[in-house]
Amino acid sequence: MPLATLRTFEQRIERQLRLLELKKNIIERNIGRQIRQFERKRGIRLDDEVRFIRSWIERPLTIGAVTPSGKMLARAMARHVDPNSDGPVVELGPGTGPVTEALVEAGVDPSRLVLVEFNPEFCRLLQKRYPEATLVQGDAYSLRRLLETLLIQPAAAVVSGLPLVTKPIRMRLRLIRDAFDLMLPGAPFVQFTYSVASPLPRRLGGFTAEASERIWMNIPPARVWVYRKSEV
Ligand SMILES: C[S@@+](CC[C@H](N)C(=O)[O-])C[C@H]1O[C@@H](n2cnc3c(N)ncnc32)[C@H](O)[C@@H]1O
């Protein structure tokens, strides 16, 4: 086939691709506008749900839930953090920030928050909503490396929204042991789960575990576990 014909063909395809991209941008902007109008009318933040679902479609095992936690669950987690305690409050996997919001509502000063989140889009959102908090974009399972030098004081609590059950047990145990090393003695490691059993096997851990009632007003219903390092 002559080279000129091939070039014309290529140019035609490129033009169509550019047109497709343009149409996609227009459709995305329209959807964005409609979501914002819907939210304004009903006083809700639907775009968090949309962000969440999109991230879940891209990486279901990392996100671990289809929607952000509801207010009841977020409050049930925040209740275990004493707002008058000393030291940073670390949140693992804050996502779009429902638990962060509950912590702040419960009286935790946002400047005490250290938010460890993997997803760059959630990080940008959290940075905007909680500019006083310390944001760490990284893998929470490398907690020691991420926080060892960053925390100038032991943490008063670690609150986790990580989908722990998608990880092997030895990784979960390493995470909680690393967390205890960064925390004040007796400080709580607060974790929610949709599972029936404790996401951290108690018999292996060297920690105490307490579970809340199942919170039925969450989708899906969830339970809050509080772990504390056993005294030796
Ligand atoms: C089940 S969602 C919970 C989000 C939020 N805490 C809530 O209650 O709606 C799990 C979150 O953990 C984050 N995540 C998963 N694996 C992670 C990792 N290894 N390090 C940091 N964040 C992680 C996900 O990006 C997601 O934001």
Side-chain angles (χ1 to χ4, degrees):
M1 187 188 295
L3 212 59
T5 317
L6 204 61
R7 240 192 107 55
T8 316
F9 177 69
E10 216 174 53
Q11 280 167 354
R12 216 173 49 222
I13 297 285
E14 272 172 12
R15 236 189 342 264
Q16 284 178 7
L17 284 176
R18 274 200 302 275
L19 212 63
L20 194 71
E21 190 60 27
L22 214 68
K23 282 186 183 158
K24 179 172 156 270
N25 288 344
I26 294 171
I27 292 170
E28 277 180 354
R29 269 205 303 277
N30 271 339
I31 291 175
R33 222 181 355 255
Q34 285 174 37
I35 288 173
R36 281 190 296 279
Q37 276 173 3
F38 186 87
E39 287 176 328
R40 258 199 308 277
K41 269 197 202 147
R42 286 167 180 75
I44 56 169
R45 268 198 327 229
L46 194 63
D47 58 348
D48 281 3
E49 315 274 337
V50 173
R51 274 192 192 96
F52 216 90
I53 292 171
R54 205 168 50 209
S55 301
W56 178 76
I57 290 167
E58 283 163 9
R59 311 181 74 174
L61 286 186
T62 309
I63 299 297
V66 186
T67 61
S69 293
K71 275 204 186 301
M72 295 274 263
L73 174 59
R75 286 182 187 147
M77 294 190 77
R79 246 198 307 279
H80 294 284
V81 179
D82 177 359
N84 301 312
S85 55
D86 261 346
V89 173
V90 177
E91 188 182 348
L92 309 179
T96 53
V99 179
T100 325
E101 191 176 317
L103 287 166
V104 173
E105 268 175 22
V108 176
D109 192 319
S111 65
R112 291 177 64 201
L113 293 172
V114 178
L115 310 174
V116 181
E117 175 55 60
F118 204 61
N119 180 308
E121 191 182 350
F122 292 162
C123 284
R124 277 192 294 276
L125 185 80
L126 292 162
Q127 182 88 74
K128 244 196 258 162
R129 287 191 188 154
Y130 302 99
E132 300 115 305
T134 306
L135 193 74
V136 181
Q137 184 182 349
D139 180 2
Y141 293 93
S142 306
L143 201 63
R144 186 183 291 279
R145 185 178 53 75
L146 289 182
L147 299 189
E148 208 165 35
T149 50
L150 187 83
L151 298 188
I152 45 173
Q153 243 183 299
V158 172
V159 180
S160 163
L162 297 174
L164 280 192
V165 292
T166 60
K167 295 289 181 198
I169 287 181
R170 67 182 161 73
M171 269 180 89
R172 303 182 216 165
L173 286 174
R174 196 183 64 209
L175 172 78
I176 195 165
R177 287 175 184 151
D178 284 352
F180 283 145
D181 287 347
L182 297 165
M183 291 157 78
L184 286 165
F189 182 100
V190 186
Q191 172 74 47
F192 84 79
T193 184
Y194 306 126
S195 308
V196 179
S198 164
L200 292 157
R202 285 183 272 184
R203 63 200 156 79
L204 300 177
F207 49 77
T208 63
E210 254 176 73
S212 72
E213 292 295 315
R214 191 159 279 274
I215 297 159
W216 294 101
M217 294 293 285
N218 196 70
I219 305 172
R223 205 186 284 282
V224 176
W225 284 85
V226 180
Y227 305 96
R228 292 175 206 269
K229 189 173 180 184
S230 302
E231 285 170 24
V232 277

